[in-house]
mmCIF file of all heavy atoms in Angstrom:
data_model
loop_
_atom_site.group_PDB
_atom_site.id
_atom_site.type_symbol
_atom_site.label_atom_id
_atom_site.label_comp_id
_atom_site.label_asym_id
_atom_site.label_seq_id
_atom_site.Cartn_x
_atom_site.Cartn_y
_atom_site.Cartn_z
ATOM 1 N N SER A 493 1.020 -21.015 -13.571
ATOM 2 C CA SER A 493 -0.028 -20.657 -12.627
ATOM 3 C C SER A 493 -1.369 -21.116 -13.163
ATOM 4 O O SER A 493 -1.451 -21.697 -14.252
ATOM 5 C CB SER A 493 -0.032 -19.150 -12.353
ATOM 6 O OG SER A 493 -0.572 -18.463 -13.442
ATOM 7 N N ILE A 494 -2.408 -20.872 -12.359
ATOM 8 C CA ILE A 494 -3.764 -21.260 -12.760
ATOM 9 C C ILE A 494 -4.618 -20.003 -12.768
ATOM 10 O O ILE A 494 -4.514 -19.176 -11.859
ATOM 11 C CB ILE A 494 -4.355 -22.266 -11.738
ATOM 12 C CG1 ILE A 494 -3.444 -23.491 -11.621
ATOM 13 C CG2 ILE A 494 -5.763 -22.675 -12.139
ATOM 14 C CD1 ILE A 494 -3.875 -24.477 -10.540
ATOM 15 N N GLN A 495 -5.444 -19.885 -13.798
ATOM 16 C CA GLN A 495 -6.337 -18.730 -13.876
ATOM 17 C C GLN A 495 -7.773 -19.193 -14.005
ATOM 18 O O GLN A 495 -8.015 -20.282 -14.515
ATOM 19 C CB GLN A 495 -6.044 -17.925 -15.145
ATOM 20 C CG GLN A 495 -4.749 -17.184 -15.113
ATOM 21 C CD GLN A 495 -4.535 -16.391 -16.389
ATOM 22 O OE1 GLN A 495 -5.039 -16.770 -17.444
ATOM 23 N NE2 GLN A 495 -3.803 -15.320 -16.295
ATOM 24 N N HIS A 496 -8.689 -18.329 -13.598
ATOM 25 C CA HIS A 496 -10.081 -18.586 -13.930
ATOM 26 C C HIS A 496 -10.248 -18.367 -15.418
ATOM 27 O O HIS A 496 -9.643 -17.456 -15.967
ATOM 28 C CB HIS A 496 -10.984 -17.604 -13.189
ATOM 29 C CG HIS A 496 -11.498 -18.173 -11.915
ATOM 30 N ND1 HIS A 496 -12.156 -19.379 -11.876
ATOM 31 C CD2 HIS A 496 -11.448 -17.711 -10.648
ATOM 32 C CE1 HIS A 496 -12.483 -19.634 -10.627
ATOM 33 N NE2 HIS A 496 -12.059 -18.643 -9.849
ATOM 34 N N SER A 497 -11.063 -19.177 -16.072
ATOM 35 C CA SER A 497 -11.198 -19.002 -17.511
ATOM 36 C C SER A 497 -12.519 -19.563 -17.990
ATOM 37 O O SER A 497 -12.951 -20.636 -17.548
ATOM 38 C CB SER A 497 -10.054 -19.728 -18.207
ATOM 39 O OG SER A 497 -10.378 -19.957 -19.550
ATOM 40 N N GLY A 498 -13.149 -18.820 -18.886
ATOM 41 C CA GLY A 498 -14.407 -19.296 -19.448
ATOM 42 C C GLY A 498 -14.172 -20.212 -20.637
ATOM 43 O O GLY A 498 -15.086 -20.782 -21.201
ATOM 44 N N ARG A 499 -12.875 -20.359 -21.022
ATOM 45 C CA ARG A 499 -12.576 -21.103 -22.240
ATOM 46 C C ARG A 499 -12.810 -22.601 -22.070
ATOM 47 O O ARG A 499 -13.196 -23.296 -22.984
ATOM 48 C CB ARG A 499 -11.119 -20.839 -22.635
ATOM 49 C CG ARG A 499 -10.831 -21.206 -24.051
ATOM 50 C CD ARG A 499 -9.420 -20.838 -24.478
ATOM 51 N NE ARG A 499 -8.776 -19.875 -23.599
ATOM 52 C CZ ARG A 499 -7.515 -19.999 -23.158
ATOM 53 N NH1 ARG A 499 -6.790 -21.029 -23.489
ATOM 54 N NH2 ARG A 499 -6.980 -19.069 -22.378
ATOM 55 N N HIS A 500 -12.550 -23.096 -20.850
ATOM 56 C CA HIS A 500 -12.676 -24.533 -20.631
ATOM 57 C C HIS A 500 -13.830 -24.846 -19.683
ATOM 58 O O HIS A 500 -14.152 -24.041 -18.808
ATOM 59 C CB HIS A 500 -11.383 -25.082 -20.021
ATOM 60 C CG HIS A 500 -10.187 -24.892 -20.898
ATOM 61 N ND1 HIS A 500 -10.119 -25.397 -22.176
ATOM 62 C CD2 HIS A 500 -9.029 -24.232 -20.686
ATOM 63 C CE1 HIS A 500 -8.953 -25.077 -22.700
ATOM 64 N NE2 HIS A 500 -8.274 -24.357 -21.832
ATOM 65 N N ALA A 501 -14.379 -26.056 -19.850
ATOM 66 C CA ALA A 501 -15.528 -26.468 -19.042
ATOM 67 C C ALA A 501 -15.181 -26.503 -17.554
ATOM 68 O O ALA A 501 -16.059 -26.386 -16.704
ATOM 69 C CB ALA A 501 -15.997 -27.843 -19.499
ATOM 70 N N SER A 502 -13.909 -26.657 -17.218
ATOM 71 C CA SER A 502 -13.528 -26.727 -15.811
ATOM 72 C C SER A 502 -13.651 -25.378 -15.119
ATOM 73 O O SER A 502 -13.688 -25.291 -13.903
ATOM 74 C CB SER A 502 -12.072 -27.181 -15.707
ATOM 75 O OG SER A 502 -11.247 -26.236 -16.371
ATOM 76 N N GLY A 503 -13.670 -24.295 -15.917
ATOM 77 C CA GLY A 503 -13.672 -22.953 -15.324
ATOM 78 C C GLY A 503 -12.270 -22.459 -14.997
ATOM 79 O O GLY A 503 -12.085 -21.364 -14.499
ATOM 80 N N TYR A 504 -11.261 -23.284 -15.292
ATOM 81 C CA TYR A 504 -9.879 -22.888 -15.026
ATOM 82 C C TYR A 504 -9.031 -23.079 -16.289
ATOM 83 O O TYR A 504 -9.392 -23.857 -17.176
ATOM 84 C CB TYR A 504 -9.254 -23.764 -13.938
ATOM 85 C CG TYR A 504 -9.878 -23.596 -12.584
ATOM 86 C CD1 TYR A 504 -10.806 -24.522 -12.107
ATOM 87 C CD2 TYR A 504 -9.530 -22.524 -11.773
ATOM 88 C CE1 TYR A 504 -11.379 -24.372 -10.854
ATOM 89 C CE2 TYR A 504 -10.101 -22.370 -10.519
ATOM 90 C CZ TYR A 504 -11.019 -23.288 -10.056
ATOM 91 O OH TYR A 504 -11.579 -23.140 -8.827
ATOM 92 N N ALA A 505 -7.902 -22.381 -16.328
ATOM 93 C CA ALA A 505 -6.928 -22.642 -17.399
ATOM 94 C C ALA A 505 -5.530 -22.602 -16.792
ATOM 95 O O ALA A 505 -5.220 -21.711 -16.001
ATOM 96 C CB ALA A 505 -7.045 -21.582 -18.495
ATOM 97 N N LEU A 506 -4.704 -23.584 -17.136
ATOM 98 C CA LEU A 506 -3.316 -23.561 -16.676
ATOM 99 C C LEU A 506 -2.553 -22.572 -17.549
ATOM 100 O O LEU A 506 -2.749 -22.528 -18.760
ATOM 101 C CB LEU A 506 -2.659 -24.943 -16.816
ATOM 102 C CG LEU A 506 -3.347 -26.116 -16.130
ATOM 103 C CD1 LEU A 506 -2.414 -27.325 -16.150
ATOM 104 C CD2 LEU A 506 -3.720 -25.771 -14.699
ATOM 105 N N ARG A 507 -1.669 -21.778 -16.912
ATOM 106 C CA ARG A 507 -0.880 -20.821 -17.689
ATOM 107 C C ARG A 507 0.467 -21.457 -18.037
ATOM 108 O O ARG A 507 1.116 -22.027 -17.182
ATOM 109 C CB ARG A 507 -0.646 -19.574 -16.825
ATOM 110 C CG ARG A 507 -1.022 -18.301 -17.517
ATOM 111 C CD ARG A 507 -0.873 -17.146 -16.545
ATOM 112 N NE ARG A 507 0.049 -16.154 -17.060
ATOM 113 C CZ ARG A 507 0.638 -15.232 -16.300
ATOM 114 N NH1 ARG A 507 0.432 -15.199 -15.018
ATOM 115 N NH2 ARG A 507 1.441 -14.352 -16.841
ATOM 116 N N PHE A 508 0.861 -21.328 -19.282
ATOM 117 C CA PHE A 508 2.119 -21.900 -19.796
ATOM 118 C C PHE A 508 2.317 -23.374 -19.456
ATOM 119 O O PHE A 508 3.335 -23.756 -18.856
ATOM 120 C CB PHE A 508 3.322 -21.095 -19.287
ATOM 121 C CG PHE A 508 3.269 -19.654 -19.641
ATOM 122 C CD1 PHE A 508 3.313 -18.674 -18.656
ATOM 123 C CD2 PHE A 508 3.148 -19.256 -20.959
ATOM 124 C CE1 PHE A 508 3.241 -17.322 -18.984
ATOM 125 C CE2 PHE A 508 3.084 -17.913 -21.308
ATOM 126 C CZ PHE A 508 3.127 -16.953 -20.317
ATOM 127 N N PRO A 509 1.358 -24.225 -19.799
ATOM 128 C CA PRO A 509 1.556 -25.640 -19.488
ATOM 129 C C PRO A 509 2.588 -26.268 -20.422
ATOM 130 O O PRO A 509 2.704 -25.878 -21.579
ATOM 131 C CB PRO A 509 0.176 -26.253 -19.740
ATOM 132 C CG PRO A 509 -0.503 -25.318 -20.668
ATOM 133 C CD PRO A 509 0.105 -23.956 -20.488
ATOM 134 N N ARG A 510 3.371 -27.185 -19.892
ATOM 135 C CA ARG A 510 4.307 -27.931 -20.738
ATOM 136 C C ARG A 510 4.343 -29.380 -20.258
ATOM 137 O O ARG A 510 4.162 -29.655 -19.072
ATOM 138 C CB ARG A 510 5.688 -27.292 -20.729
ATOM 139 C CG ARG A 510 6.215 -26.978 -19.368
ATOM 140 C CD ARG A 510 6.980 -25.636 -19.374
ATOM 141 N NE ARG A 510 7.325 -25.291 -18.000
ATOM 142 C CZ ARG A 510 6.679 -24.385 -17.279
ATOM 143 N NH1 ARG A 510 5.681 -23.694 -17.803
ATOM 144 N NH2 ARG A 510 7.020 -24.130 -16.036
ATOM 145 N N ILE A 511 4.571 -30.256 -21.204
ATOM 146 C CA ILE A 511 4.505 -31.674 -20.879
ATOM 147 C C ILE A 511 5.808 -32.113 -20.219
ATOM 148 O O ILE A 511 6.893 -31.870 -20.760
ATOM 149 C CB ILE A 511 4.246 -32.494 -22.165
ATOM 150 C CG1 ILE A 511 2.942 -32.012 -22.805
ATOM 151 C CG2 ILE A 511 4.208 -33.993 -21.856
ATOM 152 C CD1 ILE A 511 2.753 -32.451 -24.238
ATOM 153 N N VAL A 512 5.717 -32.701 -19.032
ATOM 154 C CA VAL A 512 6.916 -33.169 -18.339
ATOM 155 C C VAL A 512 7.220 -34.601 -18.776
ATOM 156 O O VAL A 512 8.348 -34.945 -19.055
ATOM 157 C CB VAL A 512 6.720 -33.121 -16.810
ATOM 158 C CG1 VAL A 512 7.970 -33.591 -16.094
ATOM 159 C CG2 VAL A 512 6.345 -31.716 -16.369
ATOM 160 N N ARG A 513 6.198 -35.437 -18.805
ATOM 161 C CA ARG A 513 6.402 -36.803 -19.310
ATOM 162 C C ARG A 513 5.075 -37.440 -19.678
ATOM 163 O O ARG A 513 4.011 -36.959 -19.288
ATOM 164 C CB ARG A 513 7.171 -37.656 -18.315
ATOM 165 C CG ARG A 513 6.501 -37.881 -16.981
ATOM 166 C CD ARG A 513 7.380 -38.742 -16.097
ATOM 167 N NE ARG A 513 8.542 -37.996 -15.617
ATOM 168 C CZ ARG A 513 8.538 -37.235 -14.524
ATOM 169 N NH1 ARG A 513 7.447 -37.124 -13.802
ATOM 170 N NH2 ARG A 513 9.605 -36.585 -14.133
#
Side-chain angles (χ1 to χ4, degrees):
S493 75
I494 303 175
Q495 289 181 332
H496 265 306
S497 161
R499 197 175 343 135
H500 299 302
S502 61
Y504 294 101
L506 304 191
R507 232 175 122 198
F508 303 123
R510 49 218 173 257
I511 302 164
V512 181
R513 62 180 73 86

